[in-house]
Amino acid sequence: MSIPKEYFEVVRETGKFAKREFGEHALDWDLNPDPSHITSLWIKSLGLDLPVLTIPEEFSGVGYGPVCQALVVDAMASRCPGVASVFVHHFAGLFPVQFANKDQQTELWGAATGKAGRGIAGVVFDHDGALSIKPSGNGFILNGTSSLTANAQYADWASVFTSDQKGNPICFVVDNRSPGVSLGPNPELPGLKINPFHSLVFKDVAVPAHAILCNPEKSAQLMEQTRDLLHVLTAATALGAARTAYEKALAYARERYQFGKMIIEHQEIRRMIGAMRMKLDAATANLYEYFEENPGPLSRADRKASLVKAFCTDAAFDIIVDAIQVHGGYGYMHEQGLEKLMRDAKVLQVLGGSNPQLLVEAME
Amino acid sequence: MDFLQPPYGLFAPDVDLVVNLPALGKLREKFPSYIFRAEKAQAMARKFAINHILPRSLETDKKCSQDPTYFDWDLWHAANRAKFTVACLPEKLGGLGWSALDNAAALEEFTSACMASTANFVFNVFGLLGSMVECKTGIVLDMVKKMAKAQQEDKPLFYSWAITEPGAGTDMEDACAMQTMRPSCHAQRVPGGYSLSGVKCFITNGSMAHYVIVNMPTDQERPLETMATFHVPTNAKGFFVGRVERKCGQKASQTAEIFFDKVFVPEKEMWEPPGKGFDHTREILSITRGLVGISAMGIARGALERCIRYAANKKTANGRLIDQDWVRFAIADMLKDLHMVRAAGYNFAIALDTFHVWKIFDTAVVKGATLLPGKILMADSLAALANNQLANEAGTRFKKKIVTNEVLDSFVKHGSALKAAGSDLAMKVSSRVLDIVGLDGMAREFGMEKCFRDAKVTQIYEGSNQANLWDFFHEEVGRLV
Ligand SMILES: Cc1cc2nc3c(=O)[nH]c(=O)nc-3n(C[C@H](O)[C@H](O)[C@H](O)COP(=O)(O)OP(=O)(O)OC[C@H]3O[C@@H](n4cnc5c(N)ncnc54)[C@H](O)[C@@H]3O)c2cc1C
């Protein structure tokens, strides 16, 4: 597909930014996931307009679509999938806002673009029906415990998709700083450690009427589109991680001497690295073919996004595991960085629905 | 975490050795005590795994992620008191007299709870295995006495086996590769013995060891022809421990760099002369690779059982997770592979009893000797008697008659296949169960993500799976084509 020139510029800058700002720290952050790492990184990333990439120009954003977002998170993920995942969920959280009315947009975009506050967004899907709302005045009261959610620790607000008391889909924005909102325990997932998942616990949280983003019909469609955006951005994150693993394996194979030659000279190592390359190329093609079929702001909701996510994250996982193998014992050590990628990729495989589950659902 | 446990696997009320491997029934007809003892070992190990390993493995894993040098001494002492540290010694000598089958049955239970914790009280068997290669009566008896005494006094006695160096992993495990290796270690001839220098890396228990069994060439230009094996006390001058590695998993088991700076080793502590070092490695691998395969199968089993428990208790929009068709197929598929590898694993263990060093315990000489009262067996006078050249050579000859080169070839073959199969299973299963249980089930408390982190290394150590497959091919068909 043809990618606008200006996107490449953004990607180049993002790459430099990622290398400079967290490339060196990713392993340390994995061990010590202090939230201040992300909050200060976020402020720096505003200098590059990264957090406002998707916000329409008329609201002082950049107005770039999903393809550009994918390229950006890929570039970040090649240094740290955990950091990339913060942006992924932020972009997904912002997505529904563009369909709200002007006033709401002005307010919400303002939160993200304004220098006050961090403006990090999140997104909550309530597939299990664990949330309940009951009307109160013009708005309603929200209760329940969400499923595990990324950005829980960072997001000032989140787009929530659930059903109202009549069972109709509803999409609204909840301010995470409002009274009654707290974090559930940290489940300590093995990967994406800098972005610890938590459930959001809502206890009698008052949601005002103007926080409701759209009508039920539109909400259902928006939910699917948002979920699909999350899927494709997750796929892009996996690609970034996989590319790093592939490059590391290739470089190491060229410099490691064993069995009388550089190990790249062994056919079996070539086969493994060849398979990595094949999977990386196929996964990349899979993702960008999706964008070609679905140009613009995800014009159609399509289960295909979940297949793309499953394929790309599975491919990335396989690539990373083999990259560890090529490194022998070194690959298993934290300092090599590959085992972290493996843990990160494992979380990507189940994020937003585990891959086999997604395949089953896609064919329903 | 509170679970309604399906009474399955680790939580089955009764031992299930013969249930899982019905073919053992035939063996039981002829040798009832052989199977009965294995069932006893399984029961003991299962109880220990439930009462001691399971309750603390997650916490230990966490402590070790913060500090890789943390060691769970309480667990070690509990294992030592249960004599698991000396399980393979004859009962008369203070051990449990475990056959290879008993060992396999116990290993599976232990490692399904936590392989890294298991390594801490099982892997010091490298010392005994190392000494059994030459089987010099003096050395073996000395080793046995030391082990038994330490166990009785509840004092740790750790052995490490150090072959890998920064520039040579696979190269230390294959004869052809060794010919072309670029050694960084060197054993220099000096009056009265050898002076060892160099670095060994990724050494299990390298930081805990009281003794290290180490391979180094006396001529770096001719590594295969001059590789020798030394037995080195770690309090020797010039020995020191480098960093303890921060790993992906198996954190409870320490992996360290160790340094030799002109460490003097007297002649008598050279266990294999120059040129014989590789054979020593290969003989140990002929046993340990298969046992790693069995242990890795244990990891897979542990992951699967945790997954089954979780899925049986997890409610979804369409009933329990375990009621979903796709989940049932996935679990069945994995259980099927588990059964296949388990069968191969026990086949290997029984073969160890039938043909390998365990067979020695079945010979008239050793049977006769172990009839002697334990006091006499452990007496210094007997040790002195055993430690003369004649007795030593007799020991070597006696053992080499049983464990011939053909036997070794066959065990390298089967062991390598089992190691690759078990470790591939561990990796595949521990990863796939996370896909089944999803984000919620991946939470640390359920233990499955730890199984996953622990599994990967089984494809790497004891020779990478590529090295194992290479050996397997060579032994199975390579010689013929
Ligand atoms: C946790 C842990 C514990 C360990 N404990 C011990 C211990 O107690 N004692 C000890 O001595 N060692 C130990 N090791 C080291 C382990 O045995 C080595 O890591 C292993 O042998 C692989 O060697 P390497 O890491 O140097 O990889 P390399 O030998 O450098 O191999 C790199 C890659 O090249 C591949 N390769 C090499 N040759 C070929 C070929 N001809 N064809 C195809 N592929 C090839 C390998 O399969 C691997 O994928 C441990 C390692 C770990 C991670």
Side-chain angles (χ1 to χ4, degrees), chain A residues 252 256 258-259 263 266 268-269 325-330 332-333, chain B residues 161-164 168-170 173 201-204 247 255 457 460-464 466-467:
Chain A
Y252 187 75
R256 177 70 173 175
Q258 209 69 196
F259 233 109
I263 61 172
H266 296 304
E268 180 60 2
I269 295 288
Q325 192 67 17
V326 168
H327 281 73
Y330 294 100
Y332 196 64
M333 303 302 149
Chain B
W161 181 38
I163 55 174
T164 309
T170 305
E173 300 207 8
C201 64
F202 304 146
I203 307 307
T204 302
K247 311 193 288 297
T255 309
V457 74
I460 297 170
Y461 62 19
E462 230 58 19
S464 69
Q466 286 71 29

Side-chain angles (χ1 to χ4, degrees), chain B residues 298-345:
Chain B
I299 296 181
R301 177 188 139 185
L304 204 40
E305 287 177 5
R306 285 169 174 89
C307 170
I308 291 169
R309 274 191 293 161
Y310 182 87
N313 289 282
K314 174 78 176 173
K315 294 198 178 47
T316 74
N318 315 314
R320 297 174 308 168
L321 185 57
I322 205 162
D323 295 328
Q324 314 307 307
D325 257 11
W326 71 270
V327 172
R328 293 186 166 200
F329 273 98
I331 289 177
D333 190 39
M334 291 187 277
L335 278 174
K336 168 246 325 161
D337 290 341
L338 175 70
H339 278 290
M340 299 306 119
V341 176
R342 180 189 275 133

Side-chain angles (χ1 to χ4, degrees), chain B residues 162-381:
Chain B
I163 55 174
T164 309
E165 43 192 81
T170 305
D171 282 355
M172 289 300 288
E173 300 207 8
D174 184 282
C176 293
M178 193 178 273
Q179 265 173 327
T180 61
M181 79 180 270
R182 299 166 177 170
S184 56
C185 292
H186 183 214
Q188 175 153 24
R189 191 88 176 96
V190 293
Y194 288 84
S195 169
L196 312 189
S197 292
V199 189
K200 293 285 181 185
C201 64
F202 304 146
I203 307 307
T204 302
N205 286 338
S207 42
M208 313 287 299
H210 300 86
Y211 296 91
V212 175
I213 296 151
V214 61
N215 268 16
M216 291 192 186
T218 55
D219 178 356
Q220 288 175 304
E221 299 294 314
R222 298 184 305 132
L224 180 66
E225 294 85 346
T226 69
M227 192 62 70
T229 306
F230 302 91
H231 175 242
V232 185
T234 54
N235 60 9
K237 192 163 159 260
F239 177 92
F240 44 98
V241 176
R243 85 178 149 186
V244 176
E245 303 285 355
R246 199 182 278 284
K247 311 193 288 297
C248 174
Q250 301 232 2
K251 295 180 193 233
S253 163
Q254 295 184 16
T255 309
E257 245 177 344
I258 54 178
F259 294 91
F260 297 81
D261 181 18
K262 302 203 184 82
V263 176
F264 175 73
V265 181
E267 193 95 41
K268 70 173 187 354
E269 297 297 344
M270 180 168 70
W271 279 8
E272 295 289 352
K276 288 281 183 196
F278 176 72
D279 294 339
H280 188 268
T281 297
R282 190 171 157 82
E283 183 155 343
I284 294 184
L285 290 177
S286 74
I287 297 171
T288 54
R289 279 185 175 173
L291 295 180
V292 166
I294 293 171
S295 306
M297 179 264 289
I299 296 181
R301 177 188 139 185
L304 204 40
E305 287 177 5
R306 285 169 174 89
C307 170
I308 291 169
R309 274 191 293 161
Y310 182 87
N313 289 282
K314 174 78 176 173
K315 294 198 178 47
T316 74
N318 315 314
R320 297 174 308 168
L321 185 57
I322 205 162
D323 295 328
Q324 314 307 307
D325 257 11
W326 71 270
V327 172
R328 293 186 166 200
F329 273 98
I331 289 177
D333 190 39
M334 291 187 277
L335 278 174
K336 168 246 325 161
D337 290 341
L338 175 70
H339 278 290
M340 299 306 119
V341 176
R342 180 189 275 133
Y346 285 85
N347 182 42
F348 181 83
I350 294 170
L352 283 176
D353 282 328
T354 322
F355 302 109
H356 213 306
V357 287
W358 274 270
K359 189 179 175 188
I360 291 178
F361 296 114
D362 263 350
T363 57
V365 189
V366 174
K367 269 197 172 148
T370 48
L371 286 178
L372 294 173
K375 264 213 189 103
I376 297 187
L377 279 171
M378 302 296 270
D380 288 342
S381 50

Side-chain angles (χ1 to χ4, degrees), chain A residues 329-350:
Chain A
Y330 294 100
Y332 196 64
M333 303 302 149
H334 184 261
E335 63 177 351
Q336 240 304 326
L338 286 168
E339 64 86 29
K340 169 181 176 293
L341 289 185
M342 176 176 82
R343 291 183 278 112
D344 291 343
K346 194 69 233 176
V347 178
L348 297 178
Q349 282 182 301
V350 299

